[in-house]
Amino acid sequence: MDKLFDFELTGELLAFDFVRTALLAAAILGLLAGVLGPLIVSRNMAFAVHGTSELSFTGGAAALLLGVNVGHGALAGAIVAALVLGLLSRRSSEHDSVIGAVLAFGLGVGVLLLWFYPGRASNKFGLLVGQIVSVDFASLALLGGCAVAVFLVLLAIYRPLLFASVDPEVARARGVPTGLLSPVFAVLVGVATALGVQTVGALLVLALMITPAAAACRLTANPLRATVLAIVFAEASAVGGIVLSLAPGAPVSAFVTAISFCIYLVCWVLSLVRERGGRRRGVPSAAVATPAVLR
């Protein structure tokens, strides 16, 4: 416990190049999570993110076994997951069951691949809960390139995607290609999820992709403000999690999860206080409590 508050050791570790590389990777990942998060929340895709992360983990485990870049393997696994989920869950009633089946399959195959891997146990553990030493320059270059690609595609489809997220039936009636936007966005989410496997780990990537956005949607009804707040919360969770994990040498994901959950609790309390204040002033509770991007 004393190491957790060893600021002198933390300062010394911050001078290492690999720590700075990991912090830069976390900053990019936080930006990605903050931009995509509110849309994920509004489209009820939290469970899909978890399912995608499992196949990202499977791809990363396969890459580890084959001796290639883990990031490339995780990225390939995430894209496969997005395509599989899109093909198998054409009806909304099938969505959760398909994700559950894919999630279980991906995790089982990933565990088997890790069992075959003869290398260090820390590499196996890092895929599940994150490991900053695994983020090298090649991983950072992959992360930066994929982030730019995701932002460019999202910039091109953001307005119709937001419209389709708010009211898909009306968007479809007005000619918005919702059938095309859904798989495209699923691939973008899959790419962002895969990029978080090395830093946060496959099991707890939800803490970065979902929790900051859910917290932001508790505070504001404006999509732009929700996105800005989600970015701030995600950056605080990702970068702060790495900094806090340095001295004790603990898994990064534990601290990322703790920070993001504390932020969510604070936002939940603030939204509850605001809702009660609105009721005293006669404001309907639905107008106070509706998630941000849905209003």
Side-chain angles (χ1 to χ4, degrees):
M1 181 62 73
D2 294 338
K3 288 185 177 180
L4 183 61
F5 303 102
D6 192 342
F7 300 112
E8 182 178 353
L9 179 58
T10 299
E12 293 176 0
L13 292 173
L14 287 173
F16 287 94
D17 290 337
F18 77 90
V19 175
R20 294 176 180 176
T21 301
L23 288 174
L24 183 56
I28 297 174
L29 186 60
L31 183 61
L32 266 177
V35 171
L36 294 174
L39 289 169
I40 295 173
V41 172
S42 70
R43 297 174 71 88
N44 296 317
M45 290 180 62
F47 192 36
V49 171
H50 189 43
T52 304
S53 70
E54 301 305 338
L55 280 188
S56 298
F57 159 69
T58 304
L64 194 64
L65 182 62
L66 296 174
V68 298
N69 189 291
V70 173
H72 291 105
L75 191 59
I79 294 175
V80 169
L83 296 176
V84 168
L85 293 177
L87 290 174
L88 295 183
S89 58
R90 294 182 179 275
R91 292 181 296 181
S92 58
S93 59
E94 300 175 341
H95 195 59
D96 286 349
S97 60
V98 169
I99 293 173
V102 172
L103 185 154
F105 171 75
L107 186 58
V109 173
V111 170
L112 180 62
L113 292 175
L114 285 187
W115 180 74
F116 281 119
Y117 177 66
R120 294 184 303 170
S122 60
N123 291 335
K124 303 178 184 181
F125 191 63
L127 275 179
L128 294 172
V129 296
Q131 188 177 37
I132 62 172
V133 295
S134 64
V135 184
D136 54 12
F137 180 78
S139 300
L140 183 62
L142 176 65
L143 176 60
C146 290
V148 171
V150 168
F151 287 137
L152 289 177
V153 174
L154 188 63
L155 183 64
I157 67 172
Y158 183 79
R159 289 181 65 85
L161 180 64
L162 181 63
F163 187 17
S165 301
V166 172
D167 197 332
E169 293 184 2
V170 175
R172 195 179 301 112
R174 293 194 177 184
V176 176
T178 56
L180 177 62
L181 290 175
S182 293
V184 170
F185 183 66
V187 171
L188 296 182
V189 172
V191 170
T193 302
L195 297 176
V197 168
Q198 285 184 277
T199 305
V200 184
L203 294 182
L204 298 175
V205 73
L206 278 175
L208 196 57
M209 295 298 298
I210 302 299
T211 311
C217 290
R218 285 279 181 179
L219 294 183
T220 179
N222 184 287
L224 178 59
R225 293 176 184 172
T227 301
V228 172
L229 283 176
I231 293 173
V232 173
F233 295 159
E235 293 287 1
S237 301
V239 177
I242 289 181
V243 172
L244 289 179
S245 71
L246 290 177
V252 175
S253 57
F255 294 95
V256 173
T257 304
I259 294 174
S260 61
F261 184 66
C262 288
I263 291 174
Y264 180 80
L265 283 181
V266 171
C267 293
W268 179 80
V269 171
L270 291 176
S271 68
L272 188 63
V273 171
R274 184 181 62 181
E275 183 179 349
R276 289 181 176 177
R279 287 175 179 173
R280 293 193 187 98
R281 295 192 299 270
V283 178
S285 59
V288 178
T290 303
V293 290
L294 298 181
R295 283 188 273 162

